Amino acid sequence: DGGITQSPKYLFRKEGQNVTLSCEQNLNHDAMYWYRQDPGQGLRLIYYSQIVNDFQKGDIAEGYSVSREKKESFPLTVTSAQKNPTAFYLCASRNTQGSYSNQPQHFGDGTRLSIL
Amino acid sequence: SQQGEEDPQALSIQEGENATMNCSYKTSINNLQWYRQNSGRGLVHLILIRSNEREKHSGRLRVTLDTSKKSSSLLITASRAADTASYFCALNGLNRDDKIIFGKGTRLHILP
């Protein structure tokens, strides 16, 4: 079945450490997104990519970095510059063919990041 | 704010009753989407309603959109325990920056 796979499900970060969250999709979607969700809150956009080798900052990009070397993969690195990284991170993808905006986003099951 | 605002923030109803959640917004939109999130899981898309549509149905779900009032509602009829989740409205604006803005959600709890 097609879908989005995020790994790991749980991740712990030590002070001063960078960690990378994986997101892989086999839906053949061009667009991919990273969101951060804090308890009881909505989703805030970190980075998004509409095509391979291109990505844009979202609303809260500071302390994060991404790459988009392959269509299927959009890894997120949480750097040591992100001082409050504890959150639930969600990756999504979307088909941007045809009617540009009238396509829903498909989500992975998230990675929960905590600080040791 | 471009964010949709759901109302109420939390809702508890008896199984079998109908649940209504509302979303208000301030900007012009291309479409509005509703998503469900079970605890500790990703979001699942429920319904997309375009700005030129007024009502859509999908199974036990009914979504309305009033662009003059900049509001939408999600009705779940004959609720079930499995409907317990958070429900988010998401706005797709008129520009082509490919962003979807999510609200903070309504937490729905179905009581047995």
Side-chain angles (χ1 to χ4, degrees):
Chain A
D1 287 341
I4 299 179
T5 301
Q6 290 188 241
S7 63
K9 190 170 180 63
Y10 300 97
L11 187 58
F12 298 92
R13 195 191 87 169
K14 296 180 181 179
E15 292 289 336
Q17 186 181 45
N18 293 354
V19 292
T20 298
L21 284 60
S22 171
C23 178
E24 303 278 331
Q25 55 101 358
N26 60 4
L27 299 167
N28 199 34
H29 288 171
D30 285 310
M32 297 187 74
Y33 312 81
W34 274 106
Y35 294 94
R36 170 180 173 141
Q37 186 177 32
D38 292 284
Q41 299 297 312
L43 279 64
R44 291 185 290 170
L45 183 63
I46 305 173
Y47 269 98
Y48 65 108
S49 169
Q50 295 173 283
I51 199 168
V52 174
N53 293 322
D54 188 40
F55 49 83
Q56 288 80 40
K57 293 182 179 180
D59 300 319
I60 55 165
E62 185 174 352
Y64 300 98
S65 65
V66 294
S67 63
R68 187 84 189 276
E69 297 177 1
K70 299 187 301 181
K71 188 175 187 177
E72 301 81 13
S73 179
F74 191 39
L76 173 74
T77 296
V78 184
T79 74
S80 57
Q82 173 49 245
K83 298 306 179 186
N84 183 24
T86 298
F88 189 50
Y89 291 87
L90 287 161
C91 179
S93 71
R94 184 160 84 152
N95 179 7
T96 55
Q97 301 300 314
S99 177
Y100 184 83
S101 63
N102 291 323
Q103 299 287 347
Q105 292 192 355
H106 298 255
F107 284 82
D109 269 341
T111 292
R112 191 167 298 280
L113 176 62
S114 301
I115 296 298
L116 287 177
Chain B
S1 169
Q2 300 177 38
Q3 188 179 43
E5 294 187 14
E6 291 93 341
D7 172 63
Q9 291 185 347
L11 178 63
S12 293
I13 61 172
Q14 295 292 139
E15 191 168 13
E17 293 181 340
N18 296 343
T20 300
M21 289 157 272
N22 303 295
C23 175
S24 61
Y25 58 93
K26 296 181 180 179
T27 61
S28 296
I29 60 170
N30 187 311
N31 64 63
L32 185 147
Q33 304 173 30
W34 285 92
Y35 290 80
R36 183 187 74 234
Q37 183 181 33
N38 291 94
S39 181
R41 303 294 297 274
L43 277 69
V44 173
H45 179 257
L46 298 176
I47 288 184
L48 181 151
I49 186 164
R50 302 177 187 182
S51 60
N52 61 353
E53 297 176 315
R54 292 297 168 258
E55 186 171 314
K56 288 190 79 169
H57 296 256
S58 176
R60 293 183 296 111
L61 306 180
R62 171 177 170 253
V63 167
T64 61
L65 178 64
D66 186 334
T67 52
S68 66
K69 295 182 179 178
K70 289 187 166 53
S71 68
S72 174
S73 67
L74 170 66
L75 168 68
I76 303 174
T77 60
S79 62
R80 305 168 181 170
D83 295 329
T84 293
S86 291
Y87 292 82
F88 295 88
C89 70
L91 310 178
N92 194 317
L94 296 178
N95 57 31
R96 290 178 63 86
D97 64 4
D98 202 32
K99 292 181 182 179
I100 295 178
I101 309 298
F102 288 84
K104 294 184 178 181
T106 292
R107 295 185 304 281
L108 176 64
H109 185 204
I110 306 301
L111 303 168

